mmCIF file of all heavy atoms in Angstrom:
data_model
loop_
_atom_site.group_PDB
_atom_site.id
_atom_site.type_symbol
_atom_site.label_atom_id
_atom_site.label_comp_id
_atom_site.label_asym_id
_atom_site.label_seq_id
_atom_site.Cartn_x
_atom_site.Cartn_y
_atom_site.Cartn_z
ATOM 1 N N ALA A 685 -19.354 -8.863 3.861
ATOM 2 C CA ALA A 685 -20.256 -7.715 4.003
ATOM 3 C C ALA A 685 -20.360 -6.919 2.710
ATOM 4 O O ALA A 685 -19.362 -6.758 1.977
ATOM 5 C CB ALA A 685 -19.829 -6.792 5.140
ATOM 6 N N TYR A 686 -21.602 -6.503 2.391
ATOM 7 C CA TYR A 686 -21.822 -5.694 1.208
ATOM 8 C C TYR A 686 -22.680 -4.478 1.598
ATOM 9 O O TYR A 686 -23.508 -4.592 2.495
ATOM 10 C CB TYR A 686 -22.601 -6.540 0.208
ATOM 11 C CG TYR A 686 -21.868 -7.839 -0.228
ATOM 12 C CD1 TYR A 686 -22.103 -9.020 0.526
ATOM 13 C CD2 TYR A 686 -20.964 -7.852 -1.254
ATOM 14 C CE1 TYR A 686 -21.404 -10.154 0.228
ATOM 15 C CE2 TYR A 686 -20.308 -9.007 -1.537
ATOM 16 C CZ TYR A 686 -20.567 -10.166 -0.852
ATOM 17 O OH TYR A 686 -19.843 -11.327 -1.160
ATOM 18 N N TYR A 687 -22.482 -3.403 0.850
ATOM 19 C CA TYR A 687 -23.156 -2.147 1.176
ATOM 20 C C TYR A 687 -23.651 -1.480 -0.092
ATOM 21 O O TYR A 687 -22.999 -1.567 -1.148
ATOM 22 C CB TYR A 687 -22.180 -1.205 1.935
ATOM 23 C CG TYR A 687 -21.695 -1.756 3.240
ATOM 24 C CD1 TYR A 687 -20.456 -2.444 3.302
ATOM 25 C CD2 TYR A 687 -22.436 -1.688 4.391
ATOM 26 C CE1 TYR A 687 -19.972 -2.960 4.479
ATOM 27 C CE2 TYR A 687 -21.982 -2.205 5.611
ATOM 28 C CZ TYR A 687 -20.747 -2.902 5.626
ATOM 29 O OH TYR A 687 -20.264 -3.409 6.778
ATOM 30 N N ALA A 688 -24.764 -0.798 0.075
ATOM 31 C CA ALA A 688 -25.160 0.107 -1.000
ATOM 32 C C ALA A 688 -24.190 1.259 -1.118
ATOM 33 O O ALA A 688 -23.641 1.695 -0.068
ATOM 34 C CB ALA A 688 -26.612 0.660 -0.716
ATOM 35 N N ASP A 689 -24.039 1.830 -2.242
ATOM 36 C CA ASP A 689 -23.086 2.943 -2.457
ATOM 37 C C ASP A 689 -23.380 4.131 -1.533
ATOM 38 O O ASP A 689 -22.546 4.818 -1.021
ATOM 39 C CB ASP A 689 -23.023 3.344 -3.920
ATOM 40 C CG ASP A 689 -22.352 2.365 -4.794
ATOM 41 O OD1 ASP A 689 -21.640 1.463 -4.274
ATOM 42 O OD2 ASP A 689 -22.582 2.433 -6.004
ATOM 43 N N SER A 690 -24.738 4.285 -1.295
ATOM 44 C CA SER A 690 -25.177 5.469 -0.542
ATOM 45 C C SER A 690 -24.753 5.379 0.926
ATOM 46 O O SER A 690 -24.771 6.399 1.613
ATOM 47 C CB SER A 690 -26.705 5.594 -0.679
ATOM 48 O OG SER A 690 -27.328 4.423 -0.210
ATOM 49 N N VAL A 691 -24.431 4.221 1.409
ATOM 50 C CA VAL A 691 -24.081 4.082 2.822
ATOM 51 C C VAL A 691 -22.662 3.613 3.076
ATOM 52 O O VAL A 691 -22.223 3.528 4.194
ATOM 53 C CB VAL A 691 -25.086 3.129 3.589
ATOM 54 C CG1 VAL A 691 -26.515 3.570 3.326
ATOM 55 C CG2 VAL A 691 -24.832 1.692 3.157
ATOM 56 N N LYS A 692 -21.973 3.244 1.987
ATOM 57 C CA LYS A 692 -20.584 2.750 2.076
ATOM 58 C C LYS A 692 -19.725 3.729 2.816
ATOM 59 O O LYS A 692 -19.734 4.938 2.511
ATOM 60 C CB LYS A 692 -20.059 2.395 0.668
ATOM 61 C CG LYS A 692 -18.958 1.414 0.642
ATOM 62 C CD LYS A 692 -18.651 0.970 -0.780
ATOM 63 C CE LYS A 692 -19.772 0.239 -1.378
ATOM 64 N NZ LYS A 692 -19.451 -0.243 -2.778
ATOM 65 N N GLY A 693 -18.988 3.246 3.771
ATOM 66 C CA GLY A 693 -18.072 4.113 4.534
ATOM 67 C C GLY A 693 -18.768 4.735 5.766
ATOM 68 O O GLY A 693 -18.072 5.336 6.643
ATOM 69 N N ARG A 694 -20.090 4.647 5.853
ATOM 70 C CA ARG A 694 -20.814 5.236 6.988
ATOM 71 C C ARG A 694 -21.474 4.128 7.841
ATOM 72 O O ARG A 694 -21.592 4.286 9.057
ATOM 73 C CB ARG A 694 -21.861 6.224 6.477
ATOM 74 C CG ARG A 694 -21.323 7.361 5.664
ATOM 75 C CD ARG A 694 -22.374 8.415 5.405
ATOM 76 N NE ARG A 694 -23.442 7.869 4.547
ATOM 77 C CZ ARG A 694 -24.740 7.893 4.946
ATOM 78 N NH1 ARG A 694 -25.070 8.362 6.133
ATOM 79 N NH2 ARG A 694 -25.681 7.437 4.133
ATOM 80 N N PHE A 695 -21.970 3.102 7.170
ATOM 81 C CA PHE A 695 -22.701 2.025 7.916
ATOM 82 C C PHE A 695 -21.839 0.794 7.950
ATOM 83 O O PHE A 695 -21.048 0.513 7.076
ATOM 84 C CB PHE A 695 -23.979 1.648 7.136
ATOM 85 C CG PHE A 695 -25.063 2.734 7.199
ATOM 86 C CD1 PHE A 695 -24.777 4.030 7.689
ATOM 87 C CD2 PHE A 695 -26.314 2.420 6.744
ATOM 88 C CE1 PHE A 695 -25.791 4.981 7.681
ATOM 89 C CE2 PHE A 695 -27.341 3.367 6.792
ATOM 90 C CZ PHE A 695 -27.064 4.683 7.239
ATOM 91 N N THR A 696 -22.015 0.031 9.019
ATOM 92 C CA THR A 696 -21.264 -1.237 9.162
ATOM 93 C C THR A 696 -22.239 -2.298 9.662
ATOM 94 O O THR A 696 -22.940 -2.133 10.687
ATOM 95 C CB THR A 696 -20.120 -1.073 10.194
ATOM 96 O OG1 THR A 696 -19.228 -0.070 9.795
ATOM 97 C CG2 THR A 696 -19.331 -2.392 10.265
ATOM 98 N N ILE A 697 -22.272 -3.448 8.970
ATOM 99 C CA ILE A 697 -23.105 -4.534 9.363
ATOM 100 C C ILE A 697 -22.209 -5.582 10.038
ATOM 101 O O ILE A 697 -21.041 -5.798 9.605
ATOM 102 C CB ILE A 697 -23.816 -5.213 8.167
ATOM 103 C CG1 ILE A 697 -24.823 -6.226 8.611
ATOM 104 C CG2 ILE A 697 -22.866 -5.768 7.132
ATOM 105 C CD1 ILE A 697 -25.748 -6.732 7.497
ATOM 106 N N SER A 698 -22.690 -6.179 11.145
ATOM 107 C CA SER A 698 -21.881 -7.153 11.856
ATOM 108 C C SER A 698 -22.769 -8.152 12.517
ATOM 109 O O SER A 698 -23.920 -7.900 12.869
ATOM 110 C CB SER A 698 -20.984 -6.466 12.839
ATOM 111 O OG SER A 698 -21.773 -5.744 13.840
ATOM 112 N N ARG A 699 -22.197 -9.325 12.754
ATOM 113 C CA ARG A 699 -22.889 -10.356 13.515
ATOM 114 C C ARG A 699 -22.405 -10.290 14.998
ATOM 115 O O ARG A 699 -21.228 -10.097 15.292
ATOM 116 C CB ARG A 699 -22.550 -11.760 12.975
ATOM 117 C CG ARG A 699 -23.069 -12.005 11.624
ATOM 118 C CD ARG A 699 -22.736 -13.447 11.174
ATOM 119 N NE ARG A 699 -23.271 -13.743 9.867
ATOM 120 C CZ ARG A 699 -24.494 -14.255 9.649
ATOM 121 N NH1 ARG A 699 -25.303 -14.519 10.704
ATOM 122 N NH2 ARG A 699 -24.921 -14.510 8.460
ATOM 123 N N ASP A 700 -23.356 -10.443 15.918
ATOM 124 C CA ASP A 700 -23.016 -10.540 17.343
ATOM 125 C C ASP A 700 -23.570 -11.937 17.789
ATOM 126 O O ASP A 700 -24.712 -12.028 18.175
ATOM 127 C CB ASP A 700 -23.636 -9.412 18.115
ATOM 128 C CG ASP A 700 -23.179 -9.383 19.565
ATOM 129 O OD1 ASP A 700 -22.838 -10.442 20.110
ATOM 130 O OD2 ASP A 700 -23.168 -8.266 20.164
ATOM 131 N N ASN A 701 -22.742 -12.918 17.738
ATOM 132 C CA ASN A 701 -23.194 -14.297 18.058
ATOM 133 C C ASN A 701 -23.540 -14.424 19.511
ATOM 134 O O ASN A 701 -24.479 -15.214 19.844
ATOM 135 C CB ASN A 701 -22.104 -15.284 17.726
ATOM 136 C CG ASN A 701 -21.907 -15.380 16.190
ATOM 137 O OD1 ASN A 701 -22.801 -15.173 15.396
ATOM 138 N ND2 ASN A 701 -20.670 -15.746 15.788
ATOM 139 N N ALA A 702 -22.961 -13.623 20.400
ATOM 140 C CA ALA A 702 -23.309 -13.736 21.823
ATOM 141 C C ALA A 702 -24.705 -13.244 22.094
ATOM 142 O O ALA A 702 -25.392 -13.751 22.909
ATOM 143 C CB ALA A 702 -22.296 -12.912 22.668
ATOM 144 N N LYS A 703 -25.157 -12.272 21.321
ATOM 145 C CA LYS A 703 -26.494 -11.709 21.432
ATOM 146 C C LYS A 703 -27.459 -12.407 20.458
ATOM 147 O O LYS A 703 -28.695 -12.154 20.496
ATOM 148 C CB LYS A 703 -26.532 -10.270 21.164
ATOM 149 C CG LYS A 703 -25.815 -9.366 22.149
ATOM 150 C CD LYS A 703 -26.148 -7.870 21.960
ATOM 151 C CE LYS A 703 -26.277 -7.429 20.522
ATOM 152 N NZ LYS A 703 -26.563 -5.991 20.385
ATOM 153 N N ASN A 704 -26.955 -13.231 19.558
ATOM 154 C CA ASN A 704 -27.744 -13.814 18.488
ATOM 155 C C ASN A 704 -28.439 -12.750 17.686
ATOM 156 O O ASN A 704 -29.679 -12.688 17.493
ATOM 157 C CB ASN A 704 -28.788 -14.781 19.055
ATOM 158 C CG ASN A 704 -29.454 -15.642 17.929
ATOM 159 O OD1 ASN A 704 -28.847 -15.885 16.897
ATOM 160 N ND2 ASN A 704 -30.730 -15.944 18.141
ATOM 161 N N ALA A 705 -27.601 -11.803 17.244
ATOM 162 C CA ALA A 705 -28.175 -10.650 16.563
ATOM 163 C C ALA A 705 -27.255 -10.217 15.450
ATOM 164 O O ALA A 705 -26.059 -10.616 15.374
ATOM 165 C CB ALA A 705 -28.347 -9.459 17.562
ATOM 166 N N VAL A 706 -27.810 -9.465 14.512
ATOM 167 C CA VAL A 706 -27.022 -8.855 13.486
ATOM 168 C C VAL A 706 -27.294 -7.318 13.600
ATOM 169 O O VAL A 706 -28.422 -6.886 13.552
ATOM 170 C CB VAL A 706 -27.448 -9.333 12.063
ATOM 171 C CG1 VAL A 706 -26.713 -8.522 10.960
ATOM 172 C CG2 VAL A 706 -27.047 -10.791 11.932
ATOM 173 N N ASP A 707 -26.218 -6.587 13.770
ATOM 174 C CA ASP A 707 -26.342 -5.164 13.998
ATOM 175 C C ASP A 707 -26.020 -4.331 12.781
ATOM 176 O O ASP A 707 -25.226 -4.767 11.923
ATOM 177 C CB ASP A 707 -25.408 -4.748 15.171
ATOM 178 C CG ASP A 707 -25.864 -5.331 16.468
ATOM 179 O OD1 ASP A 707 -27.003 -5.784 16.585
ATOM 180 O OD2 ASP A 707 -25.058 -5.390 17.386
ATOM 181 N N LEU A 708 -26.579 -3.136 12.701
ATOM 182 C CA LEU A 708 -26.203 -2.164 11.703
ATOM 183 C C LEU A 708 -25.814 -0.867 12.401
ATOM 184 O O LEU A 708 -26.691 -0.188 12.946
ATOM 185 C CB LEU A 708 -27.401 -1.898 10.762
ATOM 186 C CG LEU A 708 -27.096 -0.984 9.575
ATOM 187 C CD1 LEU A 708 -26.139 -1.663 8.562
ATOM 188 C CD2 LEU A 708 -28.399 -0.595 8.836
ATOM 189 N N GLN A 709 -24.514 -0.587 12.397
ATOM 190 C CA GLN A 709 -24.046 0.622 13.017
ATOM 191 C C GLN A 709 -24.129 1.762 11.908
ATOM 192 O O GLN A 709 -23.503 1.584 10.849
ATOM 193 C CB GLN A 709 -22.616 0.456 13.504
ATOM 194 C CG GLN A 709 -21.979 1.729 14.063
ATOM 195 C CD GLN A 709 -22.674 2.181 15.325
ATOM 196 O OE1 GLN A 709 -22.965 1.403 16.170
ATOM 197 N NE2 GLN A 709 -22.864 3.477 15.429
ATOM 198 N N MET A 710 -24.827 2.798 12.200
ATOM 199 C CA MET A 710 -25.015 3.891 11.249
ATOM 200 C C MET A 710 -24.355 5.118 11.779
ATOM 201 O O MET A 710 -24.804 5.695 12.798
ATOM 202 C CB MET A 710 -26.508 4.114 10.981
ATOM 203 C CG MET A 710 -27.252 2.797 10.573
ATOM 204 S SD MET A 710 -28.946 3.081 10.076
ATOM 205 C CE MET A 710 -29.629 3.675 11.614
#
């Protein structure tokens, strides 16, 4: 996972294979 400096520590990207989705928790 990689993040822009402006969102690092606040946003999280993750894969949800059960949903076949990629989420962004903000």
Side-chain angles (χ1 to χ4, degrees):
Y686 303 89
Y687 301 94
D689 288 343
S690 58
V691 307
K692 203 171 292 183
R694 300 188 297 122
F695 290 12
T696 303
I697 188 171
S698 61
R699 292 182 179 271
D700 187 333
N701 292 332
K703 293 191 322 182
N704 191 31
V706 173
D707 294 342
L708 184 69
Q709 177 66 42
M710 307 187 296

